[in-house]
Amino acid sequence: MPKLTVDGIAVEVPAGATVLQACEAAGAEIPRFCYHERLSIAGNCRMCLVEMEKAPKPVASCAMPAADGQVVFTTTPKVRKAREGVMEFLLINHPLDCPICDQGGECDLQDQSIAYGKGFTRYDENKRAVTEKYMGPLIKTVMTRCIHCTRCVRFAEEVAGVEEIGAIGRGENMQITSYLEGAVTSEISGNIIDLCPVGALTSKPYAFQARPWELKKTDGIDVMDAVGSNIVIGSRGPAVLRITPRINDDVNEEWLADKARFACDGLAERRLDKPWVRIDGKLQPASWTQAFAAIARGLDGVPGEGVAGLVGDLAAVEDMVALKDLLGALGSTRIECRQDGAEIDASARGHYLFNSGLAGIEAADVVLLIGTDPRREAPLVNTRLRKAAVRGKSKVFGIGPAVDLTWPVTWLGDDAALVADLPAEVVAALEAAERPAIIIGMGALRTPGLLGAAAALAGRFNVVRDEWNGWNLLHTAAARVGGLDLGLVSDGGVAGIVGDPGIKALFVLGADEIDLTPAKAAFTVYIGTHGDHGVRTADVILPAAAYTEKAATWVNLEGRVQRSLRAVFPPGEAREDWTILRALSQVLDRKLPYDDLATLRARIGAEWPHLVAVDSVAPAAMTGLAITAGSAPTGPIALPITNYYQTNPIARASETMAECVAQIVAPLREAAE
């Protein structure tokens, strides 16, 4: 490990570290524009210049490897003058847009020009101007502001794997643009907005909405997929204006999927803001008292075995526990959270988790994908897999429809029978693997017999070992693992409940991806946020709070328990889901034993202690995948997501997501046809 001296402070850094990293380890602040910890080194902005003993001129610290015996100075007059010169060059062509620039207030160029600039310029020629570029419905471009740091280019190539952003021209004529000025098709393209150190790339939906200092920033958890990305919710008054990522190296690093970032405008559209009751076949607005009275009448005379519940993909743990408790008080145990009908073994927690972990999957040396498209089901899992694959650390095989994951995959075919009869090449690779991993998608789990065949593979190749667990289910729903932890599974799954004529009353907690027409005869109570698919057959509709409007607990696909805070209040008469169920229980004379969130969480901790251990992953028992194989799986495997941008009520209500479908998905479909 190299040992060097920075401003008189001796530091030791890992082999391969740069001088910039050594300076930061010594507590020195080094300005930079092109350098980013998660991207390759470009060394083209020169803002990170430092003075080094025996060096004839200042050196770019980001591109200089740290070595034994180096003596570095970061605050000398020579360094200060060099940085002032670099900043003067950067500002030569930069427009005076700060008053109208969306980056204003959180702009690296603003901050560093104050700290390291001269305070005046000697340049009085005309500034250059660059034509605007089109990058799709999400990214607004003002390329005259671009300082050619190339962060966006490197991110698109190295992290997103979609080489659609690049540079044309040379010198002052260099311009950053997308390929043929088309929309960037990556599901994580919005991260270049955060990476851009100036206002060249900003959020198109958020343009001119607010200044950073006007926003209230609240820590939250994303629910658009099962990754559980850490987010910051930016709100002003009652409106959520933007969502940005929060750094968590164990979960989302510092990235965020586009749906998580941009679908927030759907929170204000098509919202349920008052109760509704169906009278003479037509829904009529009602008060809470009238709605509860209608529910009491609808449940009158219905035995406990005639009541059931369905849980949607966006339900928080507290809400699911309240529904489970209410149904239990009514004498029912039939409640189901597997909205997509996936066959999941919930007999042991390790059977349904992504056991390798989000960070741990990068260590797998052989990966077998079964019926999954991680690029669209969990974009940030895809970035993890890509990171290992492109570095040559893992070999990946896939069973299912061949899709472009932006990294090399050997697709074996989409016949489920391949799971029970792997090609010799795959068998040899799995047998020789030190850390083999099987990743099963929700689409595969709708194929009869496939789960048993995959479990047999796991046993055959010793996927679960003392220091490694390669059995992974790739969930698509934020509520799924929490629901499975609570035991919200029933014989026959969703189809068994919806198609059962014995079900006379049905509680639907935000389940909008199910066809409830077969259960139309049952008295249906819908509790949710949007007037989406779930309300079509409802007899009573109760308006609930969205994920940004309540303090809630979420469990991601690896079993990590996380909590979000309330950023804004629900609209109109909408209330938090668990409070609705608590109030209803009193009207039904089945009062639930908690009146506040703390008491509810204490009740959860008493029965499920791991669900109150926040920011941790409890050890998951693997009692052996004792899954009955049944008949051998056969036939094509269907993927669960065909339209990434509209997978839940919030996303379907989002105008931005609709624009993405029109400008990104539709052209790709036309090209494929």
Side-chain angles (χ1 to χ4, degrees):
M1 297 175 67
K3 298 178 181 179
L4 57 161
T5 303
V6 178
D7 293 336
I9 300 173
V11 294
E12 186 174 1
V13 294
T18 64
V19 170
L20 186 150
Q21 292 169 318
C23 292
E24 291 189 331
E29 180 181 287
I30 305 297
R32 84 290 298 270
F33 292 112
C34 68
Y35 176 79
H36 191 276
E37 293 81 357
R38 302 187 196 275
L39 303 176
S40 63
I41 295 171
N44 53 9
C45 78
R46 319 309 286 182
M47 194 64 204
C48 64
L49 293 174
V50 297
E51 187 176 354
M52 187 177 294
E53 194 175 73
K54 299 180 181 178
K57 58 183 179 180
V59 300
S61 59
C62 73
M64 174 66 69
D68 267 332
Q70 288 176 333
V71 180
V72 180
F73 304 97
T74 66
T75 57
T76 62
K78 186 176 183 179
V79 170
R80 186 164 57 251
K81 182 177 181 181
R83 291 175 181 171
E84 286 178 352
V86 170
M87 180 60 69
E88 188 174 7
F89 273 117
L90 288 174
L91 294 176
I92 279 175
N93 283 313
H94 198 77
L96 301 176
D97 279 354
C98 295
I100 60 164
C101 177
D102 276 317
Q103 196 83 344
E106 49 190 11
C107 175
D108 291 351
L109 188 63
Q110 276 186 331
D111 297 340
Q112 293 185 38
S113 64
I114 292 174
Y116 303 102
K118 295 175 70 71
F120 62 92
T121 180
R122 293 167 288 179
Y123 190 84
D124 57 7
E125 283 81 6
N126 291 331
K127 293 178 180 285
R128 74 165 189 164
V130 180
T131 56
E132 301 312 331
K133 306 295 186 291
Y134 173 76
M135 289 191 179
L138 304 177
I139 303 165
K140 177 187 174 186
T141 65
V142 183
M143 300 314 291
T144 300
R145 303 170 185 162
C146 179
I147 62 170
H148 301 163
C149 71
T150 69
R151 281 186 181 183
C152 56
V153 178
R154 285 174 283 147
F155 175 85
E157 179 179 352
E158 299 164 11
V159 180
V162 178
E163 299 179 5
E164 296 177 347
I165 303 177
I168 58 175
R170 299 182 65 184
E172 189 180 60
N173 295 321
M174 175 178 167
Q175 298 183 27
I176 303 295
T177 181
S178 59
Y179 179 66
L180 297 179
E181 294 198 32
V184 180
T185 60
S186 171
E187 290 75 18
I188 55 174
S189 64
N191 291 289
I192 65 176
I193 295 169
D194 299 329
L195 288 172
C196 184
V198 295
L201 304 174
T202 55
S203 171
K204 187 174 286 188
Y206 175 68
F208 307 123
Q209 295 294 309
R211 288 297 197 182
W213 55 84
E214 297 178 309
L215 299 179
K216 182 182 77 171
K217 298 175 177 64
T218 308
D219 289 349
I221 302 298
D222 170 54
V223 300
M224 295 293 141
D225 56 30
V227 172
S229 299
N230 289 215
I231 59 175
V232 176
I233 304 165
S235 60
R236 184 177 62 186
V240 173
L241 296 183
R242 75 169 180 178
I243 289 177
T244 52
R246 184 159 46 97
I247 297 176
N248 187 328
D249 286 333
D250 293 327
V251 183
N252 57 302
E253 299 178 287
E254 61 185 84
W255 314 128
L256 192 60
D258 286 350
K259 188 164 48 176
R261 183 187 297 267
F262 295 108
C264 59
D265 59 332
L267 292 166
E269 302 295 331
R270 306 182 198 170
R271 285 301 299 269
L272 299 173
D273 58 359
K274 58 186 154 187
W276 295 77
V277 176
R278 193 176 297 276
I279 301 174
D280 297 329
K282 296 184 67 176
L283 287 170
Q284 304 288 344
S287 66
W288 281 101
T289 302
Q290 292 170 328
F292 285 169
I295 295 172
R297 290 193 300 271
L299 294 176
D300 188 29
V302 177
E305 59 270 19
V307 181
L310 297 174
V311 175
D313 293 344
L314 307 182
V317 169
E318 291 85 355
D319 309 328
M320 293 187 283
V321 170
L323 179 59
K324 179 183 173 74
D325 289 348
L326 178 59
L327 292 182
L330 293 172
S332 172
T333 58
R334 297 192 68 178
I335 182 170
E336 180 58 69
C337 70
R338 297 169 297 180
Q339 189 177 198
D340 53 13
E343 178 189 0
I344 299 174
D345 174 31
S347 61
R349 193 168 191 250
H351 293 182
Y352 55 79
L353 293 183
F354 196 89
N355 290 288
S356 298
L358 291 168
I361 196 62
E362 297 179 23
D365 50 3
V366 177
V367 179
L368 177 61
L369 305 176
I370 302 177
T372 181
D373 176 8
R375 178 177 173 183
R376 291 158 188 87
E377 295 168 29
L380 297 182
V381 173
N382 195 59
T383 63
R384 300 273 193 179
L385 292 167
R386 184 180 192 280
K387 193 187 303 183
V390 298
R391 292 176 181 175
K393 294 182 178 180
S394 66
K395 175 70 174 174
V396 185
F397 302 94
I399 298 175
V403 291
D404 178 15
L405 298 181
T406 74
W407 43 278
V409 179
T410 301
W411 291 102
L412 308 175
D414 68 346
D415 188 351
L418 287 165
V419 179
D421 186 19
L422 291 176
E425 176 191 5
V426 184
V427 171
L430 288 171
E431 286 178 342
E434 295 182 5
R435 292 177 299 278
I438 297 175
I439 300 178
I440 308 170
M442 295 298 105
L445 295 180
R446 289 183 294 191
T447 303
L450 193 143
L451 181 61
L457 279 184
R460 176 183 175 187
F461 298 111
N462 194 22
V463 165
V464 181
R465 307 177 183 183
D466 290 340
E467 301 296 329
W468 174 257
N469 190 335
W471 176 260
N472 302 294
L473 264 60
L474 186 62
H475 294 283
T476 58
R480 184 64 51 80
V481 172
L484 294 171
D485 281 352
L486 298 173
L488 307 188
V489 295
S490 63
D491 293 340
V494 168
I497 291 176
V498 174
D500 187 351
I503 297 298
K504 304 301 180 184
L506 184 63
F507 284 84
V508 180
L509 185 62
D512 289 284
E513 317 305 322
I514 307 171
D515 181 9
L516 295 174
T517 304
K520 192 173 183 179
F523 178 78
T524 303
V525 179
Y526 177 84
I527 304 170
T529 60
H530 287 70
D532 205 75
H533 303 320
V535 304
R536 293 177 180 176
T537 60
D539 295 289
V540 178
I541 300 172
L542 304 178
Y547 71 105
T548 58
E549 299 160 1
K550 57 188 174 186
T553 303
W554 309 92
V555 188
N556 76 347
L557 51 77
E558 62 180 346
R560 184 180 302 274
V561 179
Q562 302 183 107
R563 282 184 179 164
S564 61
L565 303 176
R566 180 173 61 197
V568 296
F569 287 93
E573 299 178 43
R575 297 293 181 266
E576 295 181 35
D577 310 54
W578 76 265
T579 64
I580 295 172
L581 294 163
R582 163 61 183 80
L584 176 60
S585 71
Q586 188 159 356
V587 173
L588 299 176
D589 199 23
R590 303 286 197 280
K591 184 178 177 181
L592 298 179
Y594 32 79
D595 296 325
D596 55 41
L597 188 60
T599 310
L600 172 55
R601 286 178 172 169
R603 177 264 182 278
I604 295 171
E607 187 168 349
W608 303 281
H610 69 281
L611 292 180
V612 294
V614 181
D615 296 326
S616 66
V617 181
M622 291 289 290
T623 56
L625 290 169
I627 302 166
T628 304
S631 59
T634 185
I637 298 174
L639 296 175
I641 294 178
T642 56
N643 178 1
Y644 165 74
Y645 297 101
Q646 295 179 322
T647 57
N648 58 60
I650 298 173
R652 284 191 287 271
S654 166
E655 185 177 330
T656 303
M657 294 297 98
E659 284 290 317
C660 289
V661 172
Q663 299 183 38
I664 298 175
V665 177
L668 289 176
R669 285 177 178 169
E670 291 175 3
E673 294 173 357

